[in-house]
Amino acid sequence: MRQTKKMVIAALFAALACVATMAIRIPTPGTGGYIHPGDAVVILCGIFLNPGAAFLAAGMGSAMADLLGGYFLYVPITFVIKGLVAFLAGHAFRRLSGHLKNRTAAVAVCGLIDVALVAGGYCFCESFIYGTAAALASVPANLIQGASGLVISTALFPLLAAVPDMKRMMAAR
């Protein structure tokens, strides 16, 4: 696949991560945060893009949502956490999809990576900002967010994998 097309698809994934994060926001009481479906796009970045492009697309798209949404403090935190989710999900998918009969199961494992890194990563960072008790209070909402990303990405994967250009993207990784 041509380099320009790969860059365009990565940019589209970044835009989708931003839009999916901002379009549907379910506020979480007491934390000032929100639950959103953007994690599904972050997971799919890892699956369809090469690891470097996945890190950048997921990190930039998710961080842009924080920037546009007024969560300025979280921009660098989100960039790193979501970028790592996509990067690690991509590596996990590549290794697991060759061993598992059903690639959708590999996507679900990528969703578990998202759950762990989102809940753990934000808790770790927030413990320095707000203290341990406040950081721990945000864990349930982050677990729900990660679980929704797992479910949505698992549902969307077969649809995207059927698109010829996306098939080629996965094969070229």
Side-chain angles (χ1 to χ4, degrees):
M1 185 177 288
R2 301 171 110 201
Q3 205 58 23
T4 303
K5 190 178 255 188
K6 288 180 184 180
M7 286 176 43
V8 168
I9 291 174
L12 286 172
F13 267 111
L16 282 172
C18 182
V19 169
T21 301
M22 296 186 75
I24 301 172
R25 291 182 174 188
I26 303 166
T28 53
T31 65
Y34 57 95
I35 297 169
H36 57 81
D39 282 19
V41 178
V42 169
I43 294 164
L44 293 170
C45 281
I47 292 167
F48 289 104
L49 302 174
N50 71 54
F55 181 95
L56 291 173
M60 290 171 64
S62 299
M64 183 62 70
D66 280 350
L67 182 67
L68 294 172
Y71 293 88
F72 305 116
L73 180 64
Y74 283 93
V75 170
I77 295 167
T78 295
F79 177 78
V80 172
I81 291 172
K82 303 299 178 146
L84 284 174
V85 167
F87 182 83
L88 294 174
H91 282 295
F93 181 80
R94 190 176 70 220
R95 288 182 186 217
L96 292 173
S97 63
H99 300 321
L100 299 173
K101 291 178 185 175
N102 184 350
R103 292 187 310 170
T104 304
V107 176
V109 171
C110 295
L112 293 175
I113 291 169
D114 178 68
V115 171
L117 283 179
V118 167
Y122 281 105
C123 183
F124 176 76
C125 293
E126 288 173 348
S127 68
F128 293 104
I129 300 167
Y130 306 116
T132 304
L136 290 172
S138 70
V139 170
N142 285 329
L143 289 172
I144 293 168
Q145 179 178 308
S148 70
L150 184 156
V151 171
I152 295 168
S153 63
T154 303
L156 289 177
F157 172 74
L159 300 172
L160 288 173
V163 175
D165 281 339
M166 300 311 285
K167 265 187 197 178
R168 283 191 287 278
M169 291 284 289
M170 278 194 310
R173 289 175 12 99

